[in-house]
Amino acid sequence: RLKPFNRLQVILQHLKMSKHTDSTAEVLMEKRGGAGIITLNRPKVLNALNFSMIQQIYPQIKTWEQDPETFLIIIKGTGGKAFCAGGDIKVITDAGKVGDRLAQDFFRAEYILNNAIGTCKKPYVALIDGITMGGGVGLSVHGHFRVATEKTLFAMPETAIGLFPDVGGGYFLPRLPGKIGYYLGLTGFRLKGRDVLKAGIATHFVDSEKLPALEKDLIALKSPSRENVAELLNSYHVKSKVDQEKVFVLDEHMEKINSVFSANSMEEIFKKLKQDGSPFAIKQLETMNKLSPTSLKMTLRQLREGASMSLQDVFTMEYRLSQACMRGHDFYEGVRAVLIDKDQAPRWKPASLEEVSDEFVDDCFKPLGNNDLKL
């Protein structure tokens, strides 16, 4: 049980957000023209998503979805550096360590919000300008339209902190062309600018400086259909010349990625990379040797199973995995090494792939009975 003081600390962290004066509100929501606009407003922490923001965004999306005067939803971030760099991981870690409910509630609420975006009946436009990782991907990738710019930096780096590419990663990653999603989810590789479009994550590419004009035009649309929104986005997309000639960053490696990452086990992936021995293969081995062996095995299975699941079933599966991570060792150790002490030297347990048993991985996927996520 939680000591009352610890409990209070966690509650206070929840409440820090509750000041609703506009400039300090962590998320701004306004109706302009026919558009509902959500602005993530924590620029100092790269618009990291916390529990209170989730609790505010979800009901607003649901309200706008029912409102006959709202025709589309736009989501964006402030500060010019990030759309949303991820979930507020440190707070979840603190809660998980002391057994606070937030470690359950955060993931549950986040996935319910992600699913609301994925099932939203109104056109949903995410302006993913700047850093878009983890929780920020969950706020954008399941919507109809994702507009990248030359400043977009996409990654799912969860395996480096003992987690897995959640927020529906089990759904969208295996559906990307070839095995690119497996590669991105397992290695945490970062895509920049137009490559986010070429990988199939963004639907459109617009120069960053044109976003205010695009937003203005979206707001001015008169009772638009999804086709009308798409037409407007396309008109901006075709005019964008930034990096137009550049070849996709992974182009020359795609054959290798498709062959290596179609393996049935992490051990086999490592074996194929060792046999390959090219500079690219060696680099992937170096990267993955630093990642949580448990996370790698969990992630490969998550992506393989998610490839044939509905979005809702993926979230239910990922909720089970999130709680397995909260019960385990590597998530706390990964956050310590990467985000708190920043020594970049996590001591994973187990320390090797061979020691992560199939039984252990199976256990992470087991239903949680009454605690399961129901969508």
mmCIF file of all heavy atoms in Angstrom, residues 93-110:
data_model
loop_
_atom_site.group_PDB
_atom_site.id
_atom_site.type_symbol
_atom_site.label_atom_id
_atom_site.label_comp_id
_atom_site.label_asym_id
_atom_site.label_seq_id
_atom_site.Cartn_x
_atom_site.Cartn_y
_atom_site.Cartn_z
ATOM 1 N N THR A 93 6.575 6.577 -14.224
ATOM 2 C CA THR A 93 7.590 5.788 -13.514
ATOM 3 C C THR A 93 7.440 5.965 -12.010
ATOM 4 O O THR A 93 7.439 4.983 -11.258
ATOM 5 C CB THR A 93 9.015 6.265 -13.897
ATOM 6 O OG1 THR A 93 9.056 6.484 -15.297
ATOM 7 C CG2 THR A 93 10.053 5.220 -13.550
ATOM 8 N N ASP A 94 7.316 7.219 -11.580
ATOM 9 C CA ASP A 94 7.161 7.489 -10.138
ATOM 10 C C ASP A 94 5.937 6.772 -9.588
ATOM 11 O O ASP A 94 5.975 6.178 -8.510
ATOM 12 C CB ASP A 94 7.024 9.000 -9.880
ATOM 13 C CG ASP A 94 8.296 9.766 -10.242
ATOM 14 O OD1 ASP A 94 9.348 9.108 -10.403
ATOM 15 O OD2 ASP A 94 8.228 10.999 -10.387
ATOM 16 N N ALA A 95 4.847 6.832 -10.344
ATOM 17 C CA ALA A 95 3.602 6.205 -9.905
ATOM 18 C C ALA A 95 3.755 4.684 -9.845
ATOM 19 O O ALA A 95 3.349 4.044 -8.875
ATOM 20 C CB ALA A 95 2.461 6.587 -10.844
ATOM 21 N N GLY A 96 4.376 4.119 -10.899
ATOM 22 C CA GLY A 96 4.543 2.666 -10.962
ATOM 23 C C GLY A 96 5.385 2.135 -9.817
ATOM 24 O O GLY A 96 5.102 1.084 -9.238
ATOM 25 N N LYS A 97 6.418 2.886 -9.457
ATOM 26 C CA LYS A 97 7.322 2.456 -8.365
ATOM 27 C C LYS A 97 6.596 2.333 -7.044
ATOM 28 O O LYS A 97 6.913 1.476 -6.236
ATOM 29 C CB LYS A 97 8.457 3.475 -8.203
ATOM 30 C CG LYS A 97 9.602 3.283 -9.167
ATOM 31 C CD LYS A 97 10.714 4.269 -8.858
ATOM 32 C CE LYS A 97 11.746 4.312 -9.960
ATOM 33 N NZ LYS A 97 12.457 5.596 -9.967
ATOM 34 N N VAL A 98 5.657 3.227 -6.803
ATOM 35 C CA VAL A 98 4.960 3.199 -5.508
ATOM 36 C C VAL A 98 3.593 2.519 -5.614
ATOM 37 O O VAL A 98 2.783 2.564 -4.689
ATOM 38 C CB VAL A 98 4.798 4.632 -4.917
ATOM 39 C CG1 VAL A 98 6.146 5.215 -4.557
ATOM 40 C CG2 VAL A 98 4.060 5.561 -5.873
ATOM 41 N N GLY A 99 3.350 1.891 -6.762
ATOM 42 C CA GLY A 99 2.100 1.145 -6.930
ATOM 43 C C GLY A 99 0.881 2.037 -7.048
ATOM 44 O O GLY A 99 -0.237 1.634 -6.738
ATOM 45 N N ASP A 100 1.085 3.262 -7.501
ATOM 46 C CA ASP A 100 -0.060 4.169 -7.640
ATOM 47 C C ASP A 100 -0.891 3.813 -8.863
ATOM 48 O O ASP A 100 -0.367 3.353 -9.867
ATOM 49 C CB ASP A 100 0.444 5.613 -7.774
ATOM 50 C CG ASP A 100 -0.701 6.597 -7.862
ATOM 51 O OD1 ASP A 100 -1.284 6.911 -6.820
ATOM 52 O OD2 ASP A 100 -1.030 7.020 -8.982
ATOM 53 N N ARG A 101 -2.181 4.076 -8.775
ATOM 54 C CA ARG A 101 -3.115 3.748 -9.861
ATOM 55 C C ARG A 101 -2.807 4.462 -11.173
ATOM 56 O O ARG A 101 -3.227 4.025 -12.232
ATOM 57 C CB ARG A 101 -4.535 4.145 -9.450
ATOM 58 C CG ARG A 101 -5.266 3.100 -8.639
ATOM 59 C CD ARG A 101 -6.757 3.355 -8.731
ATOM 60 N NE ARG A 101 -7.203 3.267 -10.119
ATOM 61 C CZ ARG A 101 -7.689 2.160 -10.672
ATOM 62 N NH1 ARG A 101 -7.779 1.072 -9.969
ATOM 63 N NH2 ARG A 101 -8.090 2.175 -11.933
ATOM 64 N N LEU A 102 -2.092 5.587 -11.093
ATOM 65 C CA LEU A 102 -1.813 6.335 -12.316
ATOM 66 C C LEU A 102 -1.141 5.455 -13.371
ATOM 67 O O LEU A 102 -1.367 5.625 -14.562
ATOM 68 C CB LEU A 102 -0.938 7.560 -12.016
ATOM 69 C CG LEU A 102 -0.554 8.407 -13.237
ATOM 70 C CD1 LEU A 102 -1.781 9.079 -13.853
ATOM 71 C CD2 LEU A 102 0.483 9.458 -12.904
ATOM 72 N N ALA A 103 -0.321 4.503 -12.925
ATOM 73 C CA ALA A 103 0.374 3.619 -13.863
ATOM 74 C C ALA A 103 -0.623 2.760 -14.656
ATOM 75 O O ALA A 103 -0.347 2.344 -15.775
ATOM 76 C CB ALA A 103 1.371 2.733 -13.137
ATOM 77 N N GLN A 104 -1.786 2.490 -14.051
ATOM 78 C CA GLN A 104 -2.847 1.797 -14.802
ATOM 79 C C GLN A 104 -3.679 2.806 -15.587
ATOM 80 O O GLN A 104 -3.975 2.617 -16.766
ATOM 81 C CB GLN A 104 -3.790 1.062 -13.844
ATOM 82 C CG GLN A 104 -3.145 -0.061 -13.059
ATOM 83 C CD GLN A 104 -4.110 -0.612 -12.016
ATOM 84 O OE1 GLN A 104 -5.317 -0.663 -12.224
ATOM 85 N NE2 GLN A 104 -3.566 -1.011 -10.887
ATOM 86 N N ASP A 105 -4.051 3.882 -14.885
ATOM 87 C CA ASP A 105 -5.008 4.835 -15.452
ATOM 88 C C ASP A 105 -4.458 5.566 -16.672
ATOM 89 O O ASP A 105 -5.181 5.832 -17.627
ATOM 90 C CB ASP A 105 -5.427 5.871 -14.403
ATOM 91 C CG ASP A 105 -6.171 5.226 -13.242
ATOM 92 O OD1 ASP A 105 -6.593 4.064 -13.386
ATOM 93 O OD2 ASP A 105 -6.316 5.883 -12.188
ATOM 94 N N PHE A 106 -3.162 5.915 -16.620
ATOM 95 C CA PHE A 106 -2.583 6.679 -17.715
ATOM 96 C C PHE A 106 -2.688 5.901 -19.019
ATOM 97 O O PHE A 106 -3.197 6.409 -20.018
ATOM 98 C CB PHE A 106 -1.115 7.030 -17.439
ATOM 99 C CG PHE A 106 -0.489 7.845 -18.547
ATOM 100 C CD1 PHE A 106 -0.516 9.228 -18.506
ATOM 101 C CD2 PHE A 106 0.103 7.234 -19.655
ATOM 102 C CE1 PHE A 106 0.033 9.999 -19.530
ATOM 103 C CE2 PHE A 106 0.654 7.989 -20.687
ATOM 104 C CZ PHE A 106 0.623 9.365 -20.613
ATOM 105 N N PHE A 107 -2.195 4.659 -19.020
ATOM 106 C CA PHE A 107 -2.203 3.863 -20.257
ATOM 107 C C PHE A 107 -3.635 3.597 -20.723
ATOM 108 O O PHE A 107 -3.932 3.678 -21.911
ATOM 109 C CB PHE A 107 -1.462 2.543 -20.058
ATOM 110 C CG PHE A 107 0.028 2.708 -19.936
ATOM 111 C CD1 PHE A 107 0.646 2.667 -18.693
ATOM 112 C CD2 PHE A 107 0.819 2.924 -21.057
ATOM 113 C CE1 PHE A 107 2.027 2.834 -18.577
ATOM 114 C CE2 PHE A 107 2.196 3.087 -20.952
ATOM 115 C CZ PHE A 107 2.800 3.037 -19.699
ATOM 116 N N ARG A 108 -4.522 3.306 -19.775
ATOM 117 C CA ARG A 108 -5.917 3.036 -20.121
ATOM 118 C C ARG A 108 -6.528 4.259 -20.814
ATOM 119 O O ARG A 108 -7.090 4.170 -21.911
ATOM 120 C CB ARG A 108 -6.707 2.682 -18.860
ATOM 121 C CG ARG A 108 -8.107 2.165 -19.118
ATOM 122 C CD ARG A 108 -8.859 1.898 -17.822
ATOM 123 N NE ARG A 108 -8.279 0.834 -17.024
ATOM 124 C CZ ARG A 108 -8.569 -0.462 -17.174
ATOM 125 N NH1 ARG A 108 -9.428 -0.837 -18.099
ATOM 126 N NH2 ARG A 108 -8.008 -1.373 -16.403
ATOM 127 N N ALA A 109 -6.369 5.429 -20.182
ATOM 128 C CA ALA A 109 -6.958 6.659 -20.731
ATOM 129 C C ALA A 109 -6.310 7.028 -22.065
ATOM 130 O O ALA A 109 -6.986 7.474 -22.999
ATOM 131 C CB ALA A 109 -6.796 7.795 -19.724
ATOM 132 N N GLU A 110 -4.985 6.817 -22.153
ATOM 133 C CA GLU A 110 -4.275 7.163 -23.389
ATOM 134 C C GLU A 110 -4.760 6.311 -24.554
ATOM 135 O O GLU A 110 -5.019 6.817 -25.652
ATOM 136 C CB GLU A 110 -2.767 6.978 -23.202
ATOM 137 C CG GLU A 110 -1.976 7.427 -24.415
ATOM 138 C CD GLU A 110 -0.464 7.263 -24.255
ATOM 139 O OE1 GLU A 110 -0.027 6.380 -23.476
ATOM 140 O OE2 GLU A 110 0.276 8.010 -24.905
#
